[in-house]
Amino acid sequence: MKKFRILLAAAVFAAVCACTEKATETEERFSFSGPGEINAPFKEYTATVSFRTNCAWKLEVPAEASDWISVNPASGDAASQISMKRVAVRILANDGDGRRSAELVLTAGSKHRRTITVNQSSKSDLKSVSETSISDDMFFSSVPAGTSTAVQQGFEFTSDMSTMYFSQLNSSYKNRLSRTPRVAITTSTTLAAEKMDLYYFSHGNNIHLEEASDGNAYIWLANYGTRDSENKYGSPQILSRVKFVPGTVLRNTETTDNYWFNTKTLHASFDVDNDRLAILGDSYTMKIYRLSEVLAAPVRTITLPYSITCGGANSPDPEYVGQPEVVVHDCSGLTPVSTFSYNYKSNGRGWQTFCIHDGKVYFFLFYSNKTNDMYYQSVIDIFDFKGQPVKTDIKQPFADNLNDLIRYGLTDADTKYMENEGILIRGGVLYLLYTAKNKDGFRRPVIFQLNPDSLLY
């Protein structure tokens, strides 16, 4: 009997051990949310790898890539509960002439393993503005951004290039800001973007994104426009800083951070890296300021010098006509770094927008009624800060290639519509925004990434 009890106890002990081993094995939990492939631009870039686990884990960089890829944190201990882990993958700028790639290995516990491929382009991979055909690698983003028939005009993107912001003239009185993930070119994607509506601001050209230290996104754009005979809003007099709050409405008078330059028809462009802010105003006059001085300008209450008309005309508010008082940073007394005038309407061209970068002004213009039967033909004029032309009338023939535009589903043979809207230079890359339209009236913002050096070839 004693021997039987000993054997029974041994059997129970073995069963308990087996169950414990089985329980331990099932406790190793891991789920990967990506990305499985990181496609980085040639400039310095940081991506985030996310996963959930309760296991000890590590993310290894191969030795041959350790001089250009680093991860933080590189490992973590096991925990009693599963939790989200986020690892920053920092990729240094690729100063070489060719692409490079590496495979990172993520392991968790005793059996979970994932490979993450990192691909990085070089500046030599960027296409020239003189390309006559469109290729996949020219696309930075193409996504409907929750819109149907209205035009996206201003654009911005986050520093990690994962998220797009657009300014869209949604109706006669409404300027819509939208935020949406940046996705690859596709002819079928429809995303419901986060939206914020601004009433009685302006037509909606340039916007500037500020990723603030408080974790919020702030959009800088022109404000206090006036309604014209076609019930459209233009001639804005104020530059406003607006906190992006999806699902809300903000009226022109509800902004609390405003900047006044005593000019009409205000358009702004920021070059934060070089402490510059450009204001294009009355009589095609360009004034370039030190951004730091603009931010430090004194606050006072002013009466707008030009009367505005807003509200009424099918808007939700009664009509207002007059010169409102506005609390502003008064920039009217600042001395510009540079001032010059430029009449872009020469040679039958129309205005779209402009940007500044590293001592140059890039005007994005267009010709209409082209001989190749497309609606518009975009051109770029470059001036230095003294108002001297560097190079003018630079065309982008790829944007006129109707066969390619149809092939990518951007327009069709009936509509032939591809209108230039925005321009930015960031991190050594030229970004051009176009709005394409098909015969059903659906518009798609398309952003190309190009080599800015090719503007001067």
Side-chain angles (χ1 to χ4, degrees):
M1 180 64 70
K2 182 177 180 180
K3 183 176 180 181
F4 174 76
R5 288 175 179 171
I6 292 172
L7 291 174
L8 178 60
V12 171
F13 178 76
V16 170
C17 290
C19 290
T20 301
E21 290 174 358
K22 185 175 181 180
T24 301
E25 183 177 324
T26 57
E27 287 172 0
E28 285 195 356
R29 300 178 63 189
F30 174 82
S31 63
F32 181 75
S33 50
E37 184 175 74
I38 298 171
N39 293 300
F42 73 88
K43 63 180 182 178
E44 185 172 322
Y45 180 76
T46 299
T48 301
V49 171
S50 303
F51 57 95
R52 296 174 61 86
T53 189
N54 62 347
C55 307
W57 63 271
K58 60 181 178 180
L59 181 59
E60 297 179 279
V61 178
E64 62 271 18
S66 60
D67 60 337
W68 59 280
I69 301 176
S70 60
V71 297
N72 184 35
S75 62
D77 297 328
S80 58
Q81 294 183 339
I82 188 170
S83 62
M84 176 66 75
K85 315 294 180 185
R86 292 182 176 86
V87 180
V89 179
R90 184 184 178 211
I91 303 163
L92 298 182
N94 183 2
D95 296 324
D97 293 330
R99 298 184 178 220
R100 56 187 180 184
S101 63
E103 289 192 347
L104 314 185
V105 177
L106 173 63
T107 55
S110 60
K111 61 181 181 180
H112 300 291
R113 186 178 188 276
R114 290 296 298 261
T115 298
I116 301 165
T117 302
V118 176
N119 300 307
Q120 187 180 32
S121 62
S122 67
K123 191 169 184 178
S124 61
D125 295 320
L126 290 173
K127 298 293 188 180
S128 166
V129 295
S130 62
E131 293 287 334
T132 57
S133 298
I134 300 174
S135 56
D136 290 354
D137 55 359
M138 293 171 66
F139 288 100
F140 175 73
S141 175
S142 178
V143 55
T147 182
S148 54
T149 58
V151 179
Q152 295 85 1
Q153 294 174 320
F155 77 106
E156 264 280 18
F157 48 87
T158 53
S159 55
D160 66 0
M161 296 186 290
S162 66
T163 304
M164 300 300 308
Y165 287 81
F166 292 102
S167 172
Q168 173 193 346
L169 190 64
N170 192 253
S171 70
S172 60
Y173 64 89
K174 187 187 305 180
N175 188 330
R176 171 163 290 172
L177 299 178
S178 62
R179 177 168 66 190
T180 184
R182 190 196 115 205
V183 298
I185 178 69
T186 172
T187 60
S188 59
T189 298
T190 301
L191 294 181
E194 298 177 290
K195 308 176 186 73
M196 177 181 182
D197 287 335
L198 310 177
Y199 288 1
Y200 324 124
F201 272 59
S202 187
H203 191 71
N205 281 339
N206 283 0
I207 61 174
H208 172 72
L209 170 65
E210 175 192 343
E211 296 174 277
S213 57
D214 63 6
N216 292 304
Y218 292 86
I219 302 296
W220 294 71
L221 75 169
N223 189 9
Y224 281 90
T226 186
R227 199 185 77 215
D228 64 16
S229 59
E230 296 180 347
N231 293 327
K232 297 179 181 178
Y233 283 76
S235 301
Q237 300 179 55
I238 294 290
L239 178 64
S240 292
R241 177 180 182 260
V242 173
K243 181 180 176 180
F244 183 81
V245 183
T248 63
V249 171
L250 187 72
R251 287 166 171 79
N252 54 354
T253 57
E254 295 171 334
T255 56
T256 58
D257 200 0
N258 303 303
Y259 295 78
W260 179 64
F261 298 86
N262 194 20
T263 191
K264 192 178 180 182
T265 316
L266 177 152
H267 299 280
S269 178
F270 289 71
D271 185 356
V272 176
D273 292 341
N274 293 296
D275 190 33
R276 294 292 183 265
L277 170 67
I279 300 294
L280 182 65
D282 307 337
S283 303
Y284 317 114
T285 299
M286 177 72 68
K287 293 184 178 181
I288 299 167
Y289 298 89
R290 292 179 179 85
L291 177 58
S292 55
E293 293 182 354
V294 170
L295 298 176
V299 176
R300 69 183 185 94
T301 300
I302 60 103
T303 299
L304 290 186
Y306 303 98
S307 178
I308 67 169
T309 301
C310 64
N314 300 318
S315 77
D317 300 310
E319 181 178 88
Y320 169 87
V321 179
Q323 295 170 255
E325 290 188 342
V326 186
V327 178
V328 300
H329 292 263
D330 184 0
C331 305
S332 62
L334 298 180
T335 301
V337 174
S338 173
T339 301
F340 67 91
S341 294
Y342 166 61
N343 187 346
Y344 56 83
K345 291 186 176 180
S346 61
N347 301 322
R349 299 182 301 177
W351 159 262
Q352 289 294 57
T353 188
F354 77 103
C355 75
I356 60 170
H357 175 72
D358 197 21
K360 295 183 180 64
V361 184
Y362 298 79
F363 294 96
F364 207 18
L365 313 168
F366 68 91
Y367 291 100
S368 59
N369 301 320
K370 299 185 301 179
T371 56
N372 63 354
D373 208 23
M374 291 283 289
Y375 267 90
Y376 299 101
Q377 181 179 49
S378 56
V379 294
I380 297 172
D381 282 359
I382 306 174
F383 284 73
D384 63 23
F385 279 3
K386 296 180 180 180
Q388 298 301 309
V390 176
K391 190 174 180 181
T392 61
D393 211 41
I394 307 166
K395 297 179 176 63
Q396 300 85 57
F398 65 86
D400 301 326
N401 187 324
L402 183 59
N403 289 334
D404 281 0
L405 297 176
I406 294 173
R407 178 165 59 92
Y408 279 102
L410 302 178
T411 188
D412 48 54
D414 295 322
T415 310
K416 304 174 184 176
Y417 185 97
M418 186 75 163
E419 183 179 5
N420 61 312
E421 294 290 353
I423 181 170
L424 285 175
I425 297 179
R426 294 279 181 78
V429 180
L430 169 67
Y431 299 96
L432 299 180
L433 166 67
Y434 291 79
T435 294
K437 183 174 70 174
N438 62 20
K439 61 184 177 182
D440 296 323
F442 189 82
R443 299 177 189 265
R444 179 189 295 274
V446 183
I447 300 174
F448 293 97
Q449 52 187 359
L450 303 158
N451 187 345
D453 296 341
S454 65
L455 292 169
L456 303 175
Y457 290 168

